[in-house]
């Protein structure tokens, strides 16, 4: 297949490019390098079936010739990144999604959207099933990301209903692993970087809020399973193993052997209280479930962070 990965230089996108290349696909990554990096594509870049086109997909999508699939992962994803780029985040979810849907339509290609658990907002149902409509503050600071993804889902579904587009929507829950950027402010990357530097771990609020953490190779396997079917979704992709943020800090301290302390900072506005995917739909329709334990995934991520300059 000739596959376009928008956001291919990012954390998840670069692992996805590697996996698609490994199975024989031709891969074209589109990325404006706003939060991703060429370094993430070091292995992919050595492949003759790979190319990177530097562009802002909200403004232009310069892909020539027929393609078989378009995967849309382009978007700032960590809260500090999307809060610093509010208009760009809304643009890539709206205009970027429209341009990539049109690219796919030009070749009758399958379009896969990387949506997010954040469409459930601060969920009143637990765990979150795909039928749940969510609890999102439409004007709060996080809305630039949440509503951008909700609009992207609506636009993708409208193209399916009105234009018969072949679509698949993944609602991705918190994912971690090598190539997370140490300065991106996300919980696992921040805690590991702080622990390895010997700095205090910054727990926001009292640390009782929960997240469910999925290792990146599991997520990529789920995205490829979705790509290879005609399942429309939305389908939750995540690991139902749920931890409090304080537990995540403690597990990072244990796994790194760090003597860092824990300090408490203010909870960000609208920070969701609980989050855990119900993955019954992914299991039934894609035959997918995560297989990497938190111990193993955390050890691999720490090994990566030890190998880079922090
Ligand atoms: P990331 O920031 O590492 O990757 C996003 C990539 O998109 C970056 O390489 C960035 O440079 C690129 N990008 C951003 N705006 C762009 C634009 N206008 N044009 C072209 N490229 C652009 O984030 P990630 O964790 O790899 O997330 C990938 C996707 O998965 C995102 O869409 C994100 O919303 C979604 N997602 C991720 C998680 C997670 O936990 N990692 C959870 C839910 C959803
Ligand atoms: N968090 C934290 N300290 C940090 C970074 C994040 O306590 O240095 C918390 C954050 O408040 C949230 C959880 O960890 O409750 C997950 O945050 P992240 O930014 O990784 O992703 P989110 O799920 O909020 O998009």
């Amino acid at each position: 297949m000739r596959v376009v990965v928008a956001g291919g230089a990012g954390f998840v996108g670069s692992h996805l490019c590697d996996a698609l290349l490994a199975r024989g696909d031709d891969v074209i990554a589109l990325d404006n390098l706003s939060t991703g990096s060429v370094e993430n594509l070091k292995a992919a870049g050595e492949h003759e079936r790979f190319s990177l086109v530097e562009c802002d997909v909200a403004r232009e999508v310069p892909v020539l010739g027929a393609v078989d699939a378009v995967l849309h992962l382009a978007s700032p994803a960590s809260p500090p990144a999307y809060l610093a780029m509010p208009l760009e985040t809304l643009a890539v979810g709206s205009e970027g999604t429209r341009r990539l849907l049109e690219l796919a339509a030009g070749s009758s290609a399958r379009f896969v959207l990387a949506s997010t658990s954040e469409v459930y907002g601060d969920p009143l149902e637990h765990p979150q099933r795909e039928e749940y409509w969510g609890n999102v503050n439409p004007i709060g600071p996080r809305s630039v990301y949440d509503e951008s993804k909700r609009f992207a889902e609506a636009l993708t579904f409208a193209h399916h209903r009105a234009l018969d587009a072949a679509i698949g929507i993944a609602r991705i829950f918190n994912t971690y692993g090598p190539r997370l950027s140490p300065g991106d402010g996300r919980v696992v990357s921040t805690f590991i970087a702080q622990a390895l530097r010997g700095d205090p771990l910054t727990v926001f609020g009292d640390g009782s809020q929960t997240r469910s953490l999925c290792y990146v190779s599991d997520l990529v396997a789920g995205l490829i399973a979705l790509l290879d079917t005609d399942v429309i979704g939305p389908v939750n992709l995540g690991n139902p193993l749920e931890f409090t943020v304080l537990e995540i800090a403690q597990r990072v301290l244990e796994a790194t052997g760090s003597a860092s302390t824990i300090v408490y900072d203010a909870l960000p506005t609208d920070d969701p209280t609980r989050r855990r995917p119900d993955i019954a739909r992914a299991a039934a329709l894609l035959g997918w479930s995560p297989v990497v334990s938190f111990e193993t995934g955390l050890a691999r991520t720490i090994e990566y962070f030890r190998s880079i300059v922090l």
Side-chain angles (χ1 to χ4, degrees), residues 93-95 97-98 101 150-160:
S94 52
E95 194 56 15
T97 302
R98 186 183 68 74
L101 278 161
R150 287 169 71 98
F151 179 82
E153 287 198 14
L155 189 63
T156 301
F157 253 92
H159 275 245
H160 171 63

Side-chain angles (χ1 to χ4, degrees), residues 10-12 31-32 34-36 56-57 73 145 149 172 175 186:
F11 159 54
V12 176
D31 207 295
N32 67 355
S34 56
T35 57
D56 177 348
V57 297
L73 283 79
Y145 182 68
K149 292 287 185 178
I172 301 171
T175 300
R186 291 189 255 200

Side-chain angles (χ1 to χ4, degrees), residues 70-73 93 97 111-115 149 151-154 156 167-172 223 226:
V70 176
L71 295 120
H72 179 12
L73 283 79
T97 302
F111 176 84
V112 172
L113 175 69
S115 184
K149 292 287 185 178
F151 179 82
E153 287 198 14
T156 301
I167 63 155
I169 296 178
R171 288 187 180 150
I172 301 171
L223 288 172
L226 180 60

Side-chain angles (χ1 to χ4, degrees), residues 40-296:
N40 287 341
L41 292 168
K42 216 166 138 191
E46 284 165 14
H47 230 289
E48 59 185 22
R49 282 183 282 105
F50 177 78
S51 58
L52 168 67
V53 180
E54 204 177 318
C55 65
D56 177 348
V57 297
R59 292 175 187 272
E60 53 161 354
V61 175
V63 173
L64 298 176
V67 298
D68 298 295
V70 176
L71 295 120
H72 179 12
L73 283 79
S75 175
S78 85
Y82 62 67
L83 293 174
M85 292 184 276
L87 301 180
E88 293 87 343
T89 303
L90 285 159
V92 77
S94 52
E95 194 56 15
T97 302
R98 186 183 68 74
R99 287 180 190 278
L100 291 165
L101 278 161
E102 284 176 3
L103 171 71
S107 300
S108 300
R110 180 156 169 80
F111 176 84
V112 172
L113 175 69
S115 184
T116 170
S117 55
E118 203 77 16
V119 300
Y120 302 122
D122 191 2
L124 305 177
E125 275 189 20
H126 194 75
Q128 291 80 55
R129 292 171 306 125
E130 291 87 347
E131 289 81 5
Y132 180 50
W133 290 358
N135 176 38
V136 173
N137 175 353
I139 56 164
R142 289 177 90 100
S143 67
V144 297
Y145 182 68
D146 303 5
E147 298 292 12
S148 174
K149 292 287 185 178
R150 287 169 71 98
F151 179 82
E153 287 198 14
L155 189 63
T156 301
F157 253 92
H159 275 245
H160 171 63
R161 291 197 186 100
L163 304 170
D164 208 22
I167 63 155
I169 296 178
R171 288 187 180 150
I172 301 171
F173 285 63
N174 295 65
T175 300
Y176 70 100
R179 300 185 193 156
L180 271 173
S181 168
D184 71 4
R186 291 189 255 200
V187 65
V188 174
S189 39
T190 302
F191 285 174
I192 294 177
Q194 290 168 334
L196 294 182
R197 287 195 198 109
D199 293 341
L201 272 59
T202 49
V203 167
F204 298 159
D206 63 5
S208 64
Q209 71 273 31
T210 69
R211 293 296 186 272
S212 301
L213 299 174
C214 185
Y215 188 66
V216 66
S217 61
D218 281 334
L219 174 67
V220 165
L223 288 172
I224 291 179
L226 180 60
L227 170 67
D228 288 345
T229 62
D230 55 8
V231 168
I232 293 168
V235 181
N236 288 339
L237 293 179
N239 192 322
L241 265 186
E242 185 180 359
F243 302 95
T244 67
V245 165
L246 191 55
E247 279 166 354
I248 297 170
Q250 285 158 347
R251 296 291 287 267
V252 168
L253 289 178
E254 281 163 27
T256 52
S258 169
S260 289
T261 56
I262 291 176
V263 295
Y264 293 87
D265 281 348
L267 192 66
T269 307
D270 296 337
D271 196 283
T273 313
R274 295 193 298 175
R275 191 181 281 158
R276 171 153 58 101
D278 180 323
I279 57 168
R281 188 180 283 185
L285 299 182
L286 306 178
W288 176 86
S289 59
V291 295
V292 180
S293 69
F294 189 54
E295 291 72 24
T296 302

